[in-house]
Amino acid sequence: MRIFSGIQPTGDLHIGNYFGAIKQWLDFQHENECLFCIVDLHAITVPYDAKKLKERITEKTIIYLAAGLDPEKVIIFVQSRVKEHTELAWLLNTVTPLGELYRMTQFKDKAKKNKKNENAGLLNYPVLMAADILLYDTQVVPVGEDQNQHVELARTIGKKFNQTFGETFVLPKSKLPSFGARIMSLSDPKKKMSKSDPDEKSRISLFDSPKEIEKKIKSAVTDTQKTIKYDKEKKPGISNLLTIYSVFSGEKMEKVEKEMKGKSYKALKDAVSEITIASLEPFRRKREEFFSRDVYIEEILKQGEKRARTLAEAKMGEVRKKMGIS
Ligand code: AMP
Ligand code: TRP
């Protein structure tokens, strides 16, 4: 199967990104053809620091490697270096109904947050994402729940193109993790954990030190009751901590609930802290290891770019021909 997914080189990746996206990718890499992209052209649709973008791309590549992606098996590359993504996005714009773009939840959220910068890129973001996916005849897109709507739209756009110009694109499906698709903010467990939340205590970054992890979990919002029970509606904070414990330990929620039953909130937090610190240790170690190996990282990205371009060029040839442009 052909698999494609991407992450923006913005902010620090957190455990939500890991469980929602990257961890699923690992399971795919052995038996499928995978492309994992660092989507810098998506990242520039909100205000960003141009000087830091390159550093952010290196950091994300290190995270991919630290998580266990094998660059011999999968294609790791930077979106902007394969120009076919932008070309296809433009062409797909011409078959994308405006109404579909206006109804995207992420667009509505981001436009609200960036009132002063409500740019067209923000609206067209899902079209570029559709181009990323359709360009490689992707069958499966492993993402967190929040991206499901965008993958559905990619499918709609692909279908519309096929109907208009003839069978060209494979129609993709998203693949959501069965559990942990949505890790919530530690400060406000009704909201998802997010890279762009100004409150740093709301998320655990993959490179956080043991001290930082401990502090953040200690201050995680819970409730005024005393029982440990999974109930997303009534006990969002405790449920989020239980989820984090469950996804790190690989134990089913019923088992975790049983294990924690009767314990104090402090004991639960200590257990979550301990397992998080231990589980993220390879990320901290590998970051040290790769930090001074810029040349190696660049080599991986160059190789990935070359392999991605070969596929992208072939597909674009077909698309141009179908659309009657040369
Ligand atoms: P982003 O942070 O928007 O670049 O998202 C990168 C990937 O992580 C996407 O597949 C998202 O669906 C996933 N993701 C982001 N935040 C969370 C979260 N709080 N819980 C689970 N998955 C998430
Ligand atoms: N929009 C995705 C996110 O914020 C990132 C992304 C861009 C992506 N292109 C993609 C994910 C293609 C999957 C497939 O998470």
Side-chain angles (χ1 to χ4, degrees), residues 77-291:
F77 74 109
V78 182
Q79 184 188 36
S80 63
R81 295 195 196 177
V82 180
K83 303 279 187 277
E84 282 75 8
H85 289 244
T86 29
E87 185 185 354
L88 182 57
W90 176 257
L91 300 180
L92 294 179
N93 267 322
T94 63
V95 295
T96 307
L98 253 185
E100 292 280 347
L101 298 179
Y102 279 123
R103 95 187 159 75
M104 292 291 114
T105 313
Q106 186 177 290
F107 168 70
K108 288 194 254 179
D109 281 355
K110 286 194 178 172
K112 220 189 300 161
K113 270 192 215 146
N114 297 280
K115 268 271 168 263
K116 274 198 243 129
N117 181 42
E118 213 180 290
N119 63 67
L122 217 48
L123 181 69
N124 284 312
Y125 179 114
V127 184
L128 179 59
M129 181 159 160
D132 298 341
I133 296 169
L134 298 174
L135 189 53
Y136 299 98
D137 285 331
T138 305
Q139 287 152 294
V140 176
V141 186
V143 282
E145 198 177 76
D146 60 333
Q147 294 302 315
N148 197 25
Q149 197 183 34
H150 287 160
V151 180
E152 283 299 314
L153 182 57
R155 213 181 145 79
T156 306
I157 296 174
K159 209 187 233 167
K160 182 103 186 282
F161 188 102
N162 288 351
Q163 280 164 357
T164 315
F165 299 104
E167 247 353 91
T168 310
F169 295 119
V170 169
L171 301 181
K173 280 208 171 108
S174 59
K175 161 87 176 53
L176 309 181
S178 46
F179 195 63
R182 198 177 257 267
I183 303 286
M184 310 310 280
S185 153
L186 296 179
S187 336
D188 178 358
K190 289 262 181 207
K191 282 196 326 208
K192 73 165 189 172
M193 186 176 282
S194 160
K195 292 194 275 203
S196 55
D197 193 324
D199 177 10
E200 286 215 13
K201 285 207 307 293
S202 67
R203 65 183 159 264
I204 296 173
S205 300
L206 295 178
F207 293 141
D208 272 352
S209 70
K211 259 213 181 98
E212 283 167 317
I213 297 173
E214 207 182 322
K215 226 163 101 191
K216 287 178 181 176
I217 293 180
K218 214 178 236 169
S219 65
V221 168
T222 53
D223 52 53
T224 52
Q225 303 155 4
K226 284 197 171 119
T227 43
I228 297 185
K229 198 167 148 269
Y230 184 83
D231 183 337
K232 248 164 66 176
E233 289 308 311
K234 293 199 189 113
K235 301 175 73 68
I238 290 296
S239 300
N240 194 35
L241 290 174
L242 289 170
T243 301
I244 295 172
Y245 189 90
S246 157
V247 284
F248 272 131
S249 66
E251 283 171 15
K252 290 228 166 69
M253 184 51 78
E254 299 89 75
K255 181 148 186 255
V256 175
E257 264 185 310
K258 228 184 237 165
E259 235 173 84
M260 298 295 171
K261 206 173 166 195
K263 291 197 174 158
S264 66
Y265 283 3
K266 179 177 178 303
L268 170 66
K269 284 183 169 180
D270 286 347
V272 174
S273 248
E274 195 181 316
I275 199 158
T276 307
I277 290 169
S279 308
L280 296 185
E281 195 274 332
F283 285 95
R284 295 188 294 276
R285 183 164 38 82
K286 294 241 173 100
R287 179 162 78 160
E288 300 292 309
E289 214 175 278
F290 287 124
F291 219 58

Side-chain angles (χ1 to χ4, degrees), residues 15-28 67 69 142 177 179 246-248 250:
I15 55 174
N17 297 125
Y18 179 65
F19 290 116
I22 304 174
K23 190 158 177 281
Q24 295 197 78
W25 302 358
L26 299 177
D27 302 331
F28 282 115
L69 288 179
F179 195 63
S246 157
V247 284
F248 272 131

